[in-house]
mmCIF file of all heavy atoms in Angstrom:
data_model
loop_
_atom_site.group_PDB
_atom_site.id
_atom_site.type_symbol
_atom_site.label_atom_id
_atom_site.label_comp_id
_atom_site.label_asym_id
_atom_site.label_seq_id
_atom_site.Cartn_x
_atom_site.Cartn_y
_atom_site.Cartn_z
ATOM 1 N N CYS A 1 3.722 11.601 -13.768
ATOM 2 C CA CYS A 1 2.728 10.532 -13.690
ATOM 3 C C CYS A 1 1.335 11.145 -13.615
ATOM 4 O O CYS A 1 1.144 12.206 -12.997
ATOM 5 C CB CYS A 1 2.947 9.664 -12.443
ATOM 6 S SG CYS A 1 4.625 9.081 -12.213
ATOM 7 N N LYS A 2 0.384 10.453 -14.202
ATOM 8 C CA LYS A 2 -0.991 10.923 -14.108
ATOM 9 C C LYS A 2 -1.424 10.938 -12.649
ATOM 10 O O LYS A 2 -1.337 9.925 -11.933
ATOM 11 C CB LYS A 2 -1.926 9.992 -14.908
ATOM 12 C CG LYS A 2 -3.395 10.438 -14.892
ATOM 13 C CD LYS A 2 -3.577 11.788 -15.560
ATOM 14 C CE LYS A 2 -4.970 12.317 -15.376
ATOM 15 N NZ LYS A 2 -5.269 12.741 -14.005
ATOM 16 N N TYR A 3 -1.828 12.107 -12.190
ATOM 17 C CA TYR A 3 -2.278 12.237 -10.812
ATOM 18 C C TYR A 3 -3.639 11.561 -10.653
ATOM 19 O O TYR A 3 -4.488 11.668 -11.543
ATOM 20 C CB TYR A 3 -2.395 13.695 -10.448
ATOM 21 C CG TYR A 3 -2.690 13.976 -9.000
ATOM 22 C CD1 TYR A 3 -1.869 13.497 -7.978
ATOM 23 C CD2 TYR A 3 -3.804 14.740 -8.628
ATOM 24 C CE1 TYR A 3 -2.148 13.759 -6.658
ATOM 25 C CE2 TYR A 3 -4.101 15.006 -7.293
ATOM 26 C CZ TYR A 3 -3.245 14.526 -6.311
ATOM 27 O OH TYR A 3 -3.525 14.763 -4.992
ATOM 28 N N ILE A 4 -3.806 10.842 -9.594
ATOM 29 C CA ILE A 4 -5.061 10.108 -9.349
ATOM 30 C C ILE A 4 -6.116 11.104 -8.928
ATOM 31 O O ILE A 4 -6.171 11.553 -7.779
ATOM 32 C CB ILE A 4 -4.858 8.994 -8.322
ATOM 33 C CG1 ILE A 4 -3.759 8.031 -8.782
ATOM 34 C CG2 ILE A 4 -6.165 8.233 -8.070
ATOM 35 C CD1 ILE A 4 -3.355 7.011 -7.752
ATOM 36 N N GLU A 5 -6.980 11.459 -9.885
ATOM 37 C CA GLU A 5 -7.980 12.502 -9.593
ATOM 38 C C GLU A 5 -9.214 11.946 -8.929
ATOM 39 O O GLU A 5 -10.034 12.726 -8.390
ATOM 40 C CB GLU A 5 -8.363 13.221 -10.912
ATOM 41 C CG GLU A 5 -9.319 12.464 -11.807
ATOM 42 C CD GLU A 5 -8.647 11.444 -12.709
ATOM 43 O OE1 GLU A 5 -7.440 11.193 -12.525
ATOM 44 O OE2 GLU A 5 -9.332 10.927 -13.615
ATOM 45 N N ASN A 6 -9.360 10.631 -8.919
ATOM 46 C CA ASN A 6 -10.535 9.990 -8.304
ATOM 47 C C ASN A 6 -10.094 8.917 -7.324
ATOM 48 O O ASN A 6 -10.454 7.748 -7.465
ATOM 49 C CB ASN A 6 -11.441 9.422 -9.363
ATOM 50 C CG ASN A 6 -10.716 8.484 -10.317
ATOM 51 O OD1 ASN A 6 -9.484 8.427 -10.320
ATOM 52 N ND2 ASN A 6 -11.451 7.745 -11.126
ATOM 53 N N PRO A 7 -9.310 9.282 -6.318
ATOM 54 C CA PRO A 7 -8.823 8.277 -5.376
ATOM 55 C C PRO A 7 -9.930 7.739 -4.472
ATOM 56 O O PRO A 7 -10.917 8.456 -4.204
ATOM 57 C CB PRO A 7 -7.785 9.039 -4.565
ATOM 58 C CG PRO A 7 -8.278 10.458 -4.566
ATOM 59 C CD PRO A 7 -8.868 10.650 -5.928
ATOM 60 N N VAL A 8 -9.761 6.512 -4.033
ATOM 61 C CA VAL A 8 -10.612 5.999 -2.943
ATOM 62 C C VAL A 8 -10.205 6.760 -1.684
ATOM 63 O O VAL A 8 -9.023 6.776 -1.330
ATOM 64 C CB VAL A 8 -10.425 4.500 -2.764
ATOM 65 C CG1 VAL A 8 -11.226 3.987 -1.582
ATOM 66 C CG2 VAL A 8 -10.828 3.747 -4.059
ATOM 67 N N LEU A 9 -11.164 7.355 -1.053
ATOM 68 C CA LEU A 9 -10.882 8.197 0.132
ATOM 69 C C LEU A 9 -11.248 7.464 1.415
ATOM 70 O O LEU A 9 -11.958 6.488 1.399
ATOM 71 C CB LEU A 9 -11.653 9.525 0.043
ATOM 72 C CG LEU A 9 -11.362 10.390 -1.216
ATOM 73 C CD1 LEU A 9 -12.243 11.587 -1.243
ATOM 74 C CD2 LEU A 9 -9.907 10.768 -1.270
ATOM 75 N N PHE A 10 -10.718 7.994 2.494
ATOM 76 C CA PHE A 10 -10.986 7.430 3.826
ATOM 77 C C PHE A 10 -11.546 8.546 4.679
ATOM 78 O O PHE A 10 -11.038 9.692 4.703
ATOM 79 C CB PHE A 10 -9.713 6.906 4.439
ATOM 80 C CG PHE A 10 -9.862 6.259 5.815
ATOM 81 C CD1 PHE A 10 -10.312 4.961 5.931
ATOM 82 C CD2 PHE A 10 -9.631 7.007 6.965
ATOM 83 C CE1 PHE A 10 -10.484 4.388 7.179
ATOM 84 C CE2 PHE A 10 -9.811 6.434 8.216
ATOM 85 C CZ PHE A 10 -10.221 5.125 8.318
ATOM 86 N N GLU A 11 -12.640 8.226 5.383
ATOM 87 C CA GLU A 11 -13.277 9.259 6.197
ATOM 88 C C GLU A 11 -12.620 9.313 7.590
ATOM 89 O O GLU A 11 -12.726 8.363 8.369
ATOM 90 C CB GLU A 11 -14.775 8.962 6.363
ATOM 91 C CG GLU A 11 -15.501 10.082 7.127
ATOM 92 C CD GLU A 11 -17.015 9.893 7.195
ATOM 93 O OE1 GLU A 11 -17.480 8.848 6.693
ATOM 94 O OE2 GLU A 11 -17.679 10.821 7.679
ATOM 95 N N ARG A 12 -11.930 10.402 7.830
ATOM 96 C CA ARG A 12 -11.388 10.670 9.160
ATOM 97 C C ARG A 12 -12.416 11.468 9.940
ATOM 98 O O ARG A 12 -12.835 12.542 9.501
ATOM 99 C CB ARG A 12 -10.076 11.459 9.031
ATOM 100 C CG ARG A 12 -8.905 10.668 8.586
ATOM 101 C CD ARG A 12 -7.617 11.481 8.498
ATOM 102 N NE ARG A 12 -7.323 12.217 9.738
ATOM 103 C CZ ARG A 12 -6.214 12.877 9.983
ATOM 104 N NH1 ARG A 12 -5.279 12.956 9.011
ATOM 105 N NH2 ARG A 12 -6.013 13.497 11.126
ATOM 106 N N ALA A 13 -12.752 10.959 11.095
ATOM 107 C CA ALA A 13 -13.766 11.635 11.893
ATOM 108 C C ALA A 13 -13.382 13.053 12.245
ATOM 109 O O ALA A 13 -14.241 13.946 12.391
ATOM 110 C CB ALA A 13 -14.018 10.829 13.175
ATOM 111 N N ASP A 14 -12.073 13.307 12.378
ATOM 112 C CA ASP A 14 -11.605 14.637 12.785
ATOM 113 C C ASP A 14 -11.394 15.589 11.611
ATOM 114 O O ASP A 14 -11.205 16.767 11.828
ATOM 115 C CB ASP A 14 -10.299 14.500 13.562
ATOM 116 C CG ASP A 14 -9.210 13.747 12.778
ATOM 117 O OD1 ASP A 14 -9.579 12.940 11.888
ATOM 118 O OD2 ASP A 14 -8.008 13.980 13.074
ATOM 119 N N VAL A 15 -11.454 15.066 10.382
ATOM 120 C CA VAL A 15 -11.102 15.908 9.223
ATOM 121 C C VAL A 15 -12.169 15.832 8.130
ATOM 122 O O VAL A 15 -12.664 16.853 7.638
ATOM 123 C CB VAL A 15 -9.738 15.493 8.642
ATOM 124 C CG1 VAL A 15 -9.457 16.298 7.367
ATOM 125 C CG2 VAL A 15 -8.624 15.719 9.654
ATOM 126 N N GLY A 16 -12.490 14.608 7.731
ATOM 127 C CA GLY A 16 -13.402 14.403 6.581
ATOM 128 C C GLY A 16 -12.813 13.376 5.650
ATOM 129 O O GLY A 16 -12.019 12.528 6.053
ATOM 130 N N MET A 17 -13.139 13.472 4.379
ATOM 131 C CA MET A 17 -12.698 12.484 3.386
ATOM 132 C C MET A 17 -11.326 12.848 2.866
ATOM 133 O O MET A 17 -11.134 13.877 2.204
ATOM 134 C CB MET A 17 -13.681 12.411 2.216
ATOM 135 C CG MET A 17 -15.111 12.061 2.631
ATOM 136 S SD MET A 17 -15.255 10.441 3.435
ATOM 137 C CE MET A 17 -14.986 9.380 2.018
ATOM 138 N N VAL A 18 -10.337 11.995 3.177
ATOM 139 C CA VAL A 18 -8.947 12.318 2.859
ATOM 140 C C VAL A 18 -8.334 11.227 1.999
ATOM 141 O O VAL A 18 -8.770 10.090 1.939
ATOM 142 C CB VAL A 18 -8.104 12.490 4.137
ATOM 143 C CG1 VAL A 18 -8.666 13.601 5.013
ATOM 144 C CG2 VAL A 18 -8.044 11.190 4.936
ATOM 145 N N LYS A 19 -7.237 11.627 1.333
ATOM 146 C CA LYS A 19 -6.421 10.641 0.608
ATOM 147 C C LYS A 19 -5.669 9.756 1.622
ATOM 148 O O LYS A 19 -5.381 10.197 2.738
ATOM 149 C CB LYS A 19 -5.399 11.350 -0.260
ATOM 150 C CG LYS A 19 -5.936 11.999 -1.502
ATOM 151 C CD LYS A 19 -4.840 12.697 -2.262
ATOM 152 C CE LYS A 19 -3.703 11.786 -2.680
ATOM 153 N NZ LYS A 19 -2.677 12.455 -3.506
ATOM 154 N N PHE A 20 -5.371 8.553 1.179
ATOM 155 C CA PHE A 20 -4.488 7.692 1.952
ATOM 156 C C PHE A 20 -3.695 6.821 1.012
ATOM 157 O O PHE A 20 -4.102 6.594 -0.131
ATOM 158 C CB PHE A 20 -5.276 6.833 2.942
ATOM 159 C CG PHE A 20 -6.122 5.765 2.320
ATOM 160 C CD1 PHE A 20 -5.662 4.454 2.180
ATOM 161 C CD2 PHE A 20 -7.400 6.055 1.848
ATOM 162 C CE1 PHE A 20 -6.427 3.460 1.592
ATOM 163 C CE2 PHE A 20 -8.187 5.066 1.256
ATOM 164 C CZ PHE A 20 -7.708 3.784 1.130
ATOM 165 N N ASP A 21 -2.510 6.403 1.466
ATOM 166 C CA ASP A 21 -1.794 5.416 0.721
ATOM 167 C C ASP A 21 -1.390 4.272 1.633
ATOM 168 O O ASP A 21 -1.524 4.345 2.843
ATOM 169 C CB ASP A 21 -0.579 6.023 -0.032
ATOM 170 C CG ASP A 21 0.541 6.481 0.878
ATOM 171 O OD1 ASP A 21 0.540 6.177 2.084
ATOM 172 O OD2 ASP A 21 1.466 7.145 0.386
ATOM 173 N N ILE A 22 -0.949 3.216 1.006
ATOM 174 C CA ILE A 22 -0.701 1.961 1.734
ATOM 175 C C ILE A 22 0.746 1.527 1.388
ATOM 176 O O ILE A 22 1.150 1.586 0.247
ATOM 177 C CB ILE A 22 -1.679 0.849 1.283
ATOM 178 C CG1 ILE A 22 -3.121 1.365 1.318
ATOM 179 C CG2 ILE A 22 -1.520 -0.410 2.160
ATOM 180 C CD1 ILE A 22 -4.095 0.517 0.503
ATOM 181 N N ARG A 23 1.449 1.073 2.413
ATOM 182 C CA ARG A 23 2.807 0.561 2.218
ATOM 183 C C ARG A 23 2.835 -0.912 2.606
ATOM 184 O O ARG A 23 2.510 -1.266 3.728
ATOM 185 C CB ARG A 23 3.834 1.351 3.030
ATOM 186 C CG ARG A 23 5.202 0.692 3.083
ATOM 187 C CD ARG A 23 6.305 1.614 3.591
ATOM 188 N NE ARG A 23 6.633 2.596 2.584
ATOM 189 C CZ ARG A 23 7.737 3.376 2.676
ATOM 190 N NH1 ARG A 23 8.548 3.273 3.703
ATOM 191 N NH2 ARG A 23 7.978 4.253 1.713
ATOM 192 N N TYR A 24 3.289 -1.740 1.668
ATOM 193 C CA TYR A 24 3.528 -3.154 1.916
ATOM 194 C C TYR A 24 5.023 -3.429 1.834
ATOM 195 O O TYR A 24 5.741 -2.780 1.048
ATOM 196 C CB TYR A 24 2.825 -4.019 0.886
ATOM 197 C CG TYR A 24 1.367 -4.247 1.090
ATOM 198 C CD1 TYR A 24 0.410 -3.379 0.550
ATOM 199 C CD2 TYR A 24 0.915 -5.334 1.855
ATOM 200 C CE1 TYR A 24 -0.946 -3.601 0.764
ATOM 201 C CE2 TYR A 24 -0.445 -5.563 2.058
ATOM 202 C CZ TYR A 24 -1.357 -4.693 1.512
ATOM 203 O OH TYR A 24 -2.696 -4.920 1.706
ATOM 204 N N ILE A 25 5.475 -4.358 2.622
ATOM 205 C CA ILE A 25 6.864 -4.851 2.536
ATOM 206 C C ILE A 25 6.834 -6.168 1.773
ATOM 207 O O ILE A 25 6.112 -7.079 2.138
ATOM 208 C CB ILE A 25 7.468 -5.089 3.940
ATOM 209 C CG1 ILE A 25 7.499 -3.761 4.722
ATOM 210 C CG2 ILE A 25 8.854 -5.680 3.831
ATOM 211 C CD1 ILE A 25 8.415 -2.712 4.160
ATOM 212 N N VAL A 26 7.609 -6.201 0.670
ATOM 213 C CA VAL A 26 7.734 -7.447 -0.088
ATOM 214 C C VAL A 26 9.152 -7.975 0.104
ATOM 215 O O VAL A 26 10.130 -7.211 0.160
ATOM 216 C CB VAL A 26 7.412 -7.279 -1.576
ATOM 217 C CG1 VAL A 26 5.959 -6.919 -1.769
ATOM 218 C CG2 VAL A 26 8.296 -6.226 -2.229
ATOM 219 N N LEU A 27 9.262 -9.307 0.190
ATOM 220 C CA LEU A 27 10.523 -9.967 0.467
ATOM 221 C C LEU A 27 10.891 -10.788 -0.770
ATOM 222 O O LEU A 27 10.162 -11.730 -1.134
ATOM 223 C CB LEU A 27 10.403 -10.889 1.667
ATOM 224 C CG LEU A 27 9.728 -10.284 2.945
ATOM 225 C CD1 LEU A 27 9.574 -11.315 3.994
ATOM 226 C CD2 LEU A 27 10.509 -9.065 3.431
ATOM 227 N N LEU A 28 11.998 -10.440 -1.396
ATOM 228 C CA LEU A 28 12.461 -11.142 -2.592
ATOM 229 C C LEU A 28 13.578 -12.110 -2.185
ATOM 230 O O LEU A 28 14.670 -11.689 -1.857
ATOM 231 C CB LEU A 28 12.953 -10.147 -3.639
ATOM 232 C CG LEU A 28 13.479 -10.728 -4.970
ATOM 233 C CD1 LEU A 28 12.358 -11.522 -5.655
ATOM 234 C CD2 LEU A 28 14.009 -9.637 -5.870
ATOM 235 N N ARG A 29 13.228 -13.404 -2.211
ATOM 236 C CA ARG A 29 14.213 -14.402 -1.777
ATOM 237 C C ARG A 29 15.025 -14.928 -2.954
ATOM 238 O O ARG A 29 16.188 -15.310 -2.772
ATOM 239 C CB ARG A 29 13.498 -15.571 -1.064
ATOM 240 C CG ARG A 29 14.503 -16.437 -0.309
ATOM 241 C CD ARG A 29 13.876 -17.524 0.478
ATOM 242 N NE ARG A 29 14.886 -18.125 1.316
ATOM 243 C CZ ARG A 29 15.816 -18.979 0.879
ATOM 244 N NH1 ARG A 29 15.812 -19.331 -0.403
ATOM 245 N NH2 ARG A 29 16.738 -19.482 1.690
ATOM 246 N N SER A 30 14.467 -14.945 -4.128
ATOM 247 C CA SER A 30 15.175 -15.481 -5.292
ATOM 248 C C SER A 30 14.581 -14.913 -6.563
ATOM 249 O O SER A 30 13.395 -14.611 -6.635
ATOM 250 C CB SER A 30 15.043 -17.037 -5.312
ATOM 251 O OG SER A 30 15.530 -17.564 -6.498
ATOM 252 N N VAL A 31 15.466 -14.742 -7.559
ATOM 253 C CA VAL A 31 15.048 -14.281 -8.885
ATOM 254 C C VAL A 31 14.800 -15.457 -9.808
ATOM 255 O O VAL A 31 13.842 -15.457 -10.584
ATOM 256 C CB VAL A 31 16.090 -13.311 -9.451
ATOM 257 C CG1 VAL A 31 15.973 -13.171 -10.947
ATOM 258 C CG2 VAL A 31 16.009 -11.961 -8.759
ATOM 259 N N ASN A 32 15.632 -16.464 -9.758
ATOM 260 C CA ASN A 32 15.506 -17.639 -10.631
ATOM 261 C C ASN A 32 15.662 -18.889 -9.832
ATOM 262 O O ASN A 32 16.803 -19.299 -9.529
ATOM 263 C CB ASN A 32 16.549 -17.551 -11.748
ATOM 264 C CG ASN A 32 16.413 -18.658 -12.774
ATOM 265 O OD1 ASN A 32 15.341 -19.229 -12.904
ATOM 266 N ND2 ASN A 32 17.462 -18.947 -13.524
ATOM 267 N N PRO A 33 14.533 -19.538 -9.429
ATOM 268 C CA PRO A 33 13.158 -19.165 -9.751
ATOM 269 C C PRO A 33 12.697 -17.991 -8.876
ATOM 270 O O PRO A 33 13.251 -17.756 -7.805
ATOM 271 C CB PRO A 33 12.366 -20.432 -9.403
ATOM 272 C CG PRO A 33 13.169 -21.073 -8.293
ATOM 273 C CD PRO A 33 14.611 -20.778 -8.614
ATOM 274 N N LEU A 34 11.683 -17.291 -9.354
ATOM 275 C CA LEU A 34 11.145 -16.164 -8.603
ATOM 276 C C LEU A 34 10.483 -16.668 -7.316
ATOM 277 O O LEU A 34 9.611 -17.525 -7.350
ATOM 278 C CB LEU A 34 10.123 -15.400 -9.439
ATOM 279 C CG LEU A 34 9.466 -14.180 -8.761
ATOM 280 C CD1 LEU A 34 10.497 -13.139 -8.374
ATOM 281 C CD2 LEU A 34 8.410 -13.544 -9.693
ATOM 282 N N SER A 35 10.933 -16.117 -6.186
ATOM 283 C CA SER A 35 10.372 -16.439 -4.891
ATOM 284 C C SER A 35 10.093 -15.157 -4.176
ATOM 285 O O SER A 35 11.024 -14.431 -3.784
ATOM 286 C CB SER A 35 11.342 -17.327 -4.080
ATOM 287 O OG SER A 35 10.813 -17.614 -2.804
ATOM 288 N N LEU A 36 8.807 -14.811 -4.005
ATOM 289 C CA LEU A 36 8.399 -13.524 -3.521
ATOM 290 C C LEU A 36 7.359 -13.680 -2.403
ATOM 291 O O LEU A 36 6.408 -14.422 -2.533
ATOM 292 C CB LEU A 36 7.801 -12.694 -4.662
ATOM 293 C CG LEU A 36 7.423 -11.246 -4.370
ATOM 294 C CD1 LEU A 36 8.665 -10.386 -4.118
ATOM 295 C CD2 LEU A 36 6.616 -10.660 -5.556
ATOM 296 N N TYR A 37 7.607 -12.965 -1.301
ATOM 297 C CA TYR A 37 6.676 -12.972 -0.148
ATOM 298 C C TYR A 37 6.218 -11.538 0.117
ATOM 299 O O TYR A 37 6.862 -10.571 -0.289
ATOM 300 C CB TYR A 37 7.377 -13.503 1.106
ATOM 301 C CG TYR A 37 7.788 -14.960 1.053
ATOM 302 C CD1 TYR A 37 8.948 -15.356 0.393
ATOM 303 C CD2 TYR A 37 7.063 -15.933 1.714
ATOM 304 C CE1 TYR A 37 9.352 -16.673 0.360
ATOM 305 C CE2 TYR A 37 7.435 -17.272 1.688
ATOM 306 C CZ TYR A 37 8.570 -17.637 1.013
ATOM 307 O OH TYR A 37 8.957 -18.969 0.985
ATOM 308 N N VAL A 38 5.124 -11.444 0.835
ATOM 309 C CA VAL A 38 4.676 -10.119 1.314
ATOM 310 C C VAL A 38 4.450 -10.222 2.799
ATOM 311 O O VAL A 38 3.956 -11.241 3.312
ATOM 312 C CB VAL A 38 3.389 -9.655 0.568
ATOM 313 C CG1 VAL A 38 2.228 -10.613 0.849
ATOM 314 C CG2 VAL A 38 3.012 -8.244 0.980
ATOM 315 N N TYR A 39 4.849 -9.200 3.552
ATOM 316 C CA TYR A 39 4.612 -9.134 4.980
ATOM 317 C C TYR A 39 3.127 -8.815 5.204
ATOM 318 O O TYR A 39 2.581 -7.937 4.546
ATOM 319 C CB TYR A 39 5.494 -8.040 5.601
ATOM 320 C CG TYR A 39 5.681 -8.148 7.079
ATOM 321 C CD1 TYR A 39 6.425 -9.190 7.649
ATOM 322 C CD2 TYR A 39 5.137 -7.187 7.949
ATOM 323 C CE1 TYR A 39 6.605 -9.271 9.004
ATOM 324 C CE2 TYR A 39 5.320 -7.247 9.322
ATOM 325 C CZ TYR A 39 6.062 -8.311 9.842
ATOM 326 O OH TYR A 39 6.234 -8.401 11.200
ATOM 327 N N ASN A 40 2.484 -9.553 6.069
ATOM 328 C CA ASN A 40 1.039 -9.446 6.209
ATOM 329 C C ASN A 40 0.574 -8.118 6.816
ATOM 330 O O ASN A 40 -0.564 -7.704 6.608
ATOM 331 C CB ASN A 40 0.508 -10.602 7.073
ATOM 332 C CG ASN A 40 0.654 -11.941 6.379
ATOM 333 O OD1 ASN A 40 0.803 -12.008 5.152
ATOM 334 N ND2 ASN A 40 0.607 -13.015 7.130
ATOM 335 N N VAL A 41 1.455 -7.494 7.587
ATOM 336 C CA VAL A 41 1.116 -6.195 8.149
ATOM 337 C C VAL A 41 1.400 -5.124 7.080
ATOM 338 O O VAL A 41 2.442 -5.161 6.425
ATOM 339 C CB VAL A 41 1.954 -5.921 9.409
ATOM 340 C CG1 VAL A 41 1.678 -4.529 9.946
ATOM 341 C CG2 VAL A 41 1.647 -6.972 10.464
ATOM 342 N N PHE A 42 0.477 -4.200 6.915
ATOM 343 C CA PHE A 42 0.735 -3.069 6.033
ATOM 344 C C PHE A 42 0.566 -1.787 6.786
ATOM 345 O O PHE A 42 -0.034 -1.763 7.886
ATOM 346 C CB PHE A 42 -0.198 -3.105 4.790
ATOM 347 C CG PHE A 42 -1.667 -3.125 5.113
ATOM 348 C CD1 PHE A 42 -2.385 -1.977 5.338
ATOM 349 C CD2 PHE A 42 -2.342 -4.365 5.196
ATOM 350 C CE1 PHE A 42 -3.760 -2.016 5.614
ATOM 351 C CE2 PHE A 42 -3.707 -4.424 5.484
ATOM 352 C CZ PHE A 42 -4.394 -3.240 5.694
ATOM 353 N N TRP A 43 1.106 -0.728 6.254
ATOM 354 C CA TRP A 43 1.117 0.553 6.967
ATOM 355 C C TRP A 43 0.361 1.610 6.139
ATOM 356 O O TRP A 43 0.363 1.584 4.903
ATOM 357 C CB TRP A 43 2.553 1.016 7.218
ATOM 358 C CG TRP A 43 3.196 0.180 8.253
ATOM 359 C CD1 TRP A 43 3.237 0.414 9.618
ATOM 360 C CD2 TRP A 43 3.866 -1.062 8.047
ATOM 361 N NE1 TRP A 43 3.880 -0.618 10.236
ATOM 362 C CE2 TRP A 43 4.297 -1.550 9.326
ATOM 363 C CE3 TRP A 43 4.173 -1.851 6.923
ATOM 364 C CZ2 TRP A 43 4.985 -2.729 9.505
ATOM 365 C CZ3 TRP A 43 4.839 -3.030 7.082
ATOM 366 C CH2 TRP A 43 5.245 -3.475 8.373
#
């Protein structure tokens, strides 16, 4: 996969500008019809 060479960075006071990623939980209740939820908390 193309590596993200220009990521949005986060400034950690103890380190500096670092990479970060985000994890969301999605809930698939049905395929037909499509019924999809996302958990409001992300990690």
Side-chain angles (χ1 to χ4, degrees):
C1 309
K2 181 64 187 70
Y3 187 57
I4 302 172
E5 78 276 11
N6 52 349
V8 175
L9 302 176
F10 181 83
E11 184 174 5
R12 285 181 54 173
D14 55 335
V15 175
M17 302 299 288
V18 300
K19 286 178 59 175
F20 69 96
D21 69 11
I22 311 162
R23 167 166 287 192
Y24 280 91
I25 298 295
V26 294
L27 314 175
L28 181 59
R29 194 176 189 283
S30 170
V31 161
N32 186 20
L34 180 60
S35 178
L36 185 68
Y37 294 79
V38 63
Y39 199 68
N40 292 341
V41 176
F42 56 86
W43 289 268

